[in-house]
Amino acid sequence: MSREPVIVGIGLSDYPKAPHLDSFMHIAQATQRALEDCGLELEDIDGFACASMPTEPELHVEAVEHLGLSPRWLNTTYTGGSAAQFQIPDAVAAIREGRAETILFAYGSDFLTRHGRTLGTGGLSIDSGLSGPLLYEQPYGSTIATCYALAATHHMATYGTLPEQLAEIAVGVREFAGLNPKAMYREPLTVEDVLASPMIADPLHLLDCCVVSDGGAAFILTTEERGRDLKQHPIHVLGAAGANSHWHIHSMPDFSTTAGTISSQDAYRQAGLQPEDIDTIQFYDSFTITALLLLEDHGFCAKGEGGGFIEDGHLRKGGSLPMNTDGGSLSSCHSGMRGTMLITEAVRQLRGHGGDAQVPDCELALAAGCGGLLSYIGTTILGKDRR
Amino acid sequence: MEVVDDGMWNRVPMAPGPIDRKYFEAASQGKLIIQKCRRCENTQFPPKMLCVSCGEEPDWVETSGEGKIYTFTVVRRHGVEPFSTLVPFVLAMIDIPEGARFMGNITEIDIETVHVGQKVEAYSLRIDETMALPLWRPIQSS
């Protein structure tokens, strides 16, 4: 009886614009679709993983109630966009140890419908009576976009990375978005288009920044034994780890290096794999610089060489390491926290269900979530087969 | 450092806790201060109850108020007043030789020539009778 952890069901709620759904309905709809995908029933779920955004601080416990669950294993760790990646290591252990049989991961948000598009430029940071660490940022007009811009400037000044190289990330992801009928933006882009889009915070243009959308995702983790007689080919969790270096950008030790250097090494070691073994990457692309730093910190190229690596076309459709095959958050869907969607897309590829965006001979996928301001990096390695 | 009082603080309502308050109070007296551990001599900023290196309670030390731009951005779009009316403005991280890194605005600077490594000095902008916010400007001699 193998208790090795496998992902058996995935589901996405309606996106990118879904004014007919609130956050709970996103979670419920994604859950229904994940259950339908694998053939399990709601009553089979005895473990639950969910994280809440600061905009909906009790979403995780409210979601438990909304779904009518009484989980014997619960993980609500919040690390921003990498929350799922930080929850997976304990979920894997819980499955192996018999603390849970079947764990549902779910996230959803009506972010666009509720808050509009100003997340990145400070639209949520109005505060009456500021205290704590943001005292050292907010009075200076810091926004999410400026935090990532500070990292991008640092990488450019240190390693000679070019705006054209960052733009190429957005162009490649948009090409995949063109293959996803639901993606928010699907028209082909050029590097020139990105560079001609309005500057938000130097050196990041509008098209270096992710979309703001509605959306949700769910996936179901169970034992290899249980997964055998379900509807889909089970996908194995081969490695999962997370690491942090700071929370607020002012405490980032090196603005060109994330804790992905640590989480990736832990995950590779667990899986017994190297970067060159990976067939596709699903990376957090809140901004183009996010994906570039994750690329280097996961060892796909040396520190500082990400710009050239990207320019060579590796991340494109047909390249050696296709990235964000659903159109990512740069072009398809970003409803606050995207960690669950990195997993659902990696599973879709490993099943061979990628359609026009399918990566050929896809057996190993790596998902990397980035939470906070380049702060909490989580790495998950998934495989079509057990190794 | 110079304390500038333009009599129109409108950035963010400030309600710092006891440790943070000391930093902004020092700024209103023309001093840029950071913490230094009395046991292991680790320097740190922002201030905390304990030294993150050894756990001891840190002391405050005054700095020269001069540093270099570690990285920066020119903010072109902002969703909140008054910053939405101040764009474009420079937001930077500044390293000081005493061993601390600050976020701050660089004012009195040409946004087309601002660069990493540029030397800057601190001054402060009055918030109220007891507190001021450190800001930065180029050192003219450089």
Side-chain angles (χ1 to χ4, degrees):
Chain A
M1 295 284 280
S2 168
R3 296 197 62 86
E4 279 305 292
V6 292
I7 297 174
V8 293
I10 56 173
L12 297 175
S13 65
D14 295 346
Y15 72 94
K17 295 176 184 171
H20 57 292
L21 301 177
D22 65 16
S23 295
F24 301 105
M25 295 163 78
H26 276 285
I27 287 172
Q29 190 180 60
T31 297
Q32 283 175 327
R33 290 172 179 173
L35 289 167
E36 170 66 25
D37 179 55
C38 61
L40 286 168
E41 301 291 336
L42 193 58
E43 65 188 26
D44 294 320
I45 304 297
D46 65 351
F48 186 60
C50 182
S52 303
M53 288 278 289
T55 45
E56 290 178 277
E58 298 189 352
L59 182 72
H60 55 292
V61 277
E62 290 170 337
V64 170
E65 180 179 83
H66 190 84
L67 297 172
L69 301 175
S70 299
R72 63 190 178 105
W73 178 89
L74 182 67
N75 189 319
T76 61
T77 298
Y78 169 74
T79 60
S82 57
Q85 279 66 47
F86 271 78
Q87 293 163 343
I88 288 171
D90 189 47
V92 161
I95 294 287
R96 286 196 175 119
E97 295 163 13
R99 289 184 282 133
E101 289 298 314
T102 303
I103 294 173
L104 170 68
F105 278 69
Y107 173 73
S109 177
D110 55 351
F111 211 95
L112 174 62
T113 295
R114 189 191 292 232
H115 300 292
R117 299 179 56 188
T118 58
L119 173 65
T121 52
L124 295 177
S125 47
I126 300 162
D127 197 315
S128 56
L130 187 63
S131 63
L134 284 177
L135 285 166
Y136 305 101
E137 294 194 357
Q138 231 166 287
Y140 302 111
S142 178
T143 66
I144 296 175
T146 64
C147 293
Y148 285 83
L150 290 170
T153 300
H154 188 264
H155 201 276
M156 288 178 173
T158 308
Y159 301 110
T161 305
L162 302 170
E164 290 80 1
Q165 294 169 333
L166 287 178
E168 167 61 23
I169 294 174
V171 171
V173 172
R174 178 62 66 89
E175 184 180 12
F176 280 117
L179 303 173
N180 175 359
K182 292 180 180 168
M184 193 168 217
Y185 298 109
R186 304 185 61 217
E187 290 297 308
L189 273 187
T190 65
V191 166
E192 291 70 32
D193 291 335
V194 178
L195 300 183
S197 66
M199 192 69 92
I200 301 298
D202 299 24
L204 299 179
H205 308 78
L206 179 66
L207 293 174
D208 285 297
C209 308
C210 72
V211 306
V212 176
S213 75
D214 301 322
F219 62 90
I220 296 169
L221 190 72
T222 189
T223 64
E224 183 178 24
E225 184 66 26
R226 185 77 179 91
R228 255 180 212 147
D229 52 4
L230 297 175
K231 285 158 72 172
Q232 306 288 352
H233 179 85
I235 300 302
H236 290 259
V237 182
L238 304 176
N244 75 293
S245 49
H246 61 286
W247 181 243
H248 300 93
I249 198 77
H250 64 238
S251 288
M252 186 165 182
D254 171 349
F255 276 44
S256 287
T257 305
T258 73
T261 53
I262 298 164
S263 65
S264 64
Q265 291 310 307
D266 284 353
Y268 287 134
R269 192 178 61 248
Q270 291 169 25
L273 294 170
Q274 302 290 327
E276 52 267 32
D277 299 321
I278 302 299
D279 298 311
T280 181
I281 50 178
Q282 306 300 329
F283 271 6
Y284 217 98
D285 55 350
S286 46
F287 298 88
T288 50
I289 184 65
T290 318
L292 182 144
L293 295 183
L294 291 175
L295 190 70
E296 294 177 347
D297 294 343
H298 282 74
F300 292 106
C301 59
K303 178 51 68 183
E305 295 178 2
F309 185 88
I310 291 157
E311 223 166 28
D312 290 342
H314 294 287
L315 308 184
R316 289 290 199 103
K317 178 171 164 54
S320 66
L321 192 66
M323 181 178 83
N324 298 358
T325 47
D326 59 350
S329 59
L330 282 168
S331 285
S332 178
C333 176
H334 188 272
S335 58
M337 299 194 292
R338 200 179 145 73
T340 46
M341 293 174 195
L342 303 173
I343 300 298
T344 56
E345 180 58 16
V347 168
R348 189 175 78 108
Q349 286 288 341
L350 292 167
R351 286 177 178 178
H353 293 176
D356 292 339
Q358 179 62 45
V359 175
D361 304 319
C362 188
E363 295 184 353
L364 294 165
L366 186 148
C370 170
L373 294 314
L374 296 165
S375 326
Y376 281 69
I377 311 298
T379 306
T380 314
I381 301 176
L382 302 178
K384 186 176 179 182
D385 299 303
R386 193 170 172 177
R387 295 176 68 89
Chain B
M1 60 182 173
E2 184 187 1
V3 182
V4 174
D5 187 356
D6 65 2
M8 52 173 290
W9 174 262
N10 64 349
R11 291 186 173 217
V12 183
M14 303 282 275
I19 291 179
D20 297 312
R21 176 167 285 278
K22 288 193 169 77
Y23 172 75
F24 296 104
E25 286 176 347
S28 83
Q29 293 156 17
K31 295 174 183 169
L32 185 74
I33 61 173
I34 62 172
Q35 287 182 319
K36 185 169 186 176
C37 181
R38 60 183 63 164
R39 180 158 71 191
C40 76
E41 302 199 329
N42 172 57
T43 54
Q44 65 184 25
F45 182 81
K48 299 177 176 81
M49 185 77 205
L50 51 69
C51 166
V52 297
S53 180
C54 75
E56 180 61 81
E57 186 177 346
D59 288 327
W60 292 94
V61 291
E62 186 175 353
T63 72
S64 67
E66 295 187 0
K68 287 182 180 177
I69 296 177
Y70 172 72
T71 185
F72 72 95
T73 181
V74 180
V75 184
R76 311 274 181 174
R77 298 286 176 101
H78 203 291
V80 177
E81 289 185 353
F83 304 105
S84 54
T85 63
L86 297 176
V87 294
F89 62 88
V90 177
L91 179 74
M93 302 302 302
I94 299 97
D95 281 354
I96 63 168
E98 291 88 347
R101 179 175 297 159
F102 301 84
M103 182 180 282
N105 299 122
I106 317 284
T107 65
E108 302 168 41
I109 196 169
D110 178 357
I111 62 171
E112 302 306 323
T113 62
V114 56
H115 58 274
V116 169
Q118 195 166 356
K119 291 181 179 174
V120 290
E121 64 177 12
Y123 70 101
S124 64
L125 180 65
R126 188 159 290 288
I127 298 169
D128 58 24
E129 288 177 4
T130 60
M131 298 192 293
L133 179 76
L135 298 171
W136 301 79
R137 60 193 174 197
I139 297 178
Q140 295 308 323
S141 58
S142 62

